[in-house]
Amino acid sequence: MKLASLHNIVFGYTHVPALNGVSFELNSGEFVGITGPNGASKSTMLKVMLGLLKPWEGEVKISKKNSNGKRLTIGYVPQQIASFNVGFPSTVIELVRSGRYPKGKWFKRLDENDDVQVKNALEMVGMWDYRHHKIGALSGGQKQKICIARTLASEPDLLVLDEPTTGMDFESRKGFYEFMSHQVKKHNRTVVMVTHDQDEVEDYLDKIIHLEKGEQGGWKCLTLNSCNGRFGLAD
Ligand SMILES: Nc1ncnc2c1ncn2[C@@H]1O[C@H](COP(=O)(O)OP(=O)(O)OP(=O)(O)O)[C@@H](O)[C@H]1O
């Protein structure tokens, strides 16, 4: 099922376009990598897709429903989390547990399954041992990790992560890709991830969206299906 489509997107921060005719589709149950050199507008493309930036031209469509006919839920973790205020929730585990509350229901009683999801998410980003630490005492990279954990714990249908493995060592990155791949295959989620580690991750991916410098400035999009070492140009 198609969850999102971008068609001929043109966008720029100045009069020069940063994206120039970008088109791609996302389907449910896909693990998608977004690649391209520094400054290729990978983050910009995600923000346009999520409606945070309005394109000059082109069309963005996001499905309102997931493949079960329920309201589509989206989780997004940007590349740099702005330093967030440390009021409530004040500890790592409280923040990640808040990802389990359905929208607006802050006093839902969490059950054993919620606890398992929270633990899995914190272990996935290597922050379980920090669960009782105050958020204000963490480094920027650790805050980034717990934001990823909170989003993972909320189990969105569409998970959008901008360079989530920054600061992880090789083994942690591998574990992270395996976890994501499992989420996609077993739970029919869609994961979209900006990455600079194409060689490491491509065996896990179903699709790569690669940004290439266009001839008239801006970046165009090349969609590669059938990863696992056998790239085929989709369109
Ligand atoms: N808020 C902004 N205002 C003006 N220019 C911006 C803004 N955000 C990004 N840019 C510029 O747009 C271009 C694309 O930036 P973007 O962060 O989307 O690239 P990226 O591919 O995600 O880069 P990286 O791999 O380094 O994170 C860059 O030239 C960047 O300087």
Side-chain angles (χ1 to χ4, degrees), residues 85-91 94-95 98 101 106-107 135:
N85 267 335
V86 188
F88 175 83
S90 62
T91 65
E94 281 168 348
L95 181 84
S98 73
Y101 298 124
W106 283 89
F107 299 104
I135 294 165

Side-chain angles (χ1 to χ4, degrees), residues 151-168:
T151 309
L152 288 179
S154 71
E155 300 187 287
D157 301 310
L158 172 58
L159 180 54
V160 182
L161 302 170
D162 199 340
E163 295 195 38
T165 55
T166 305
M168 289 186 195

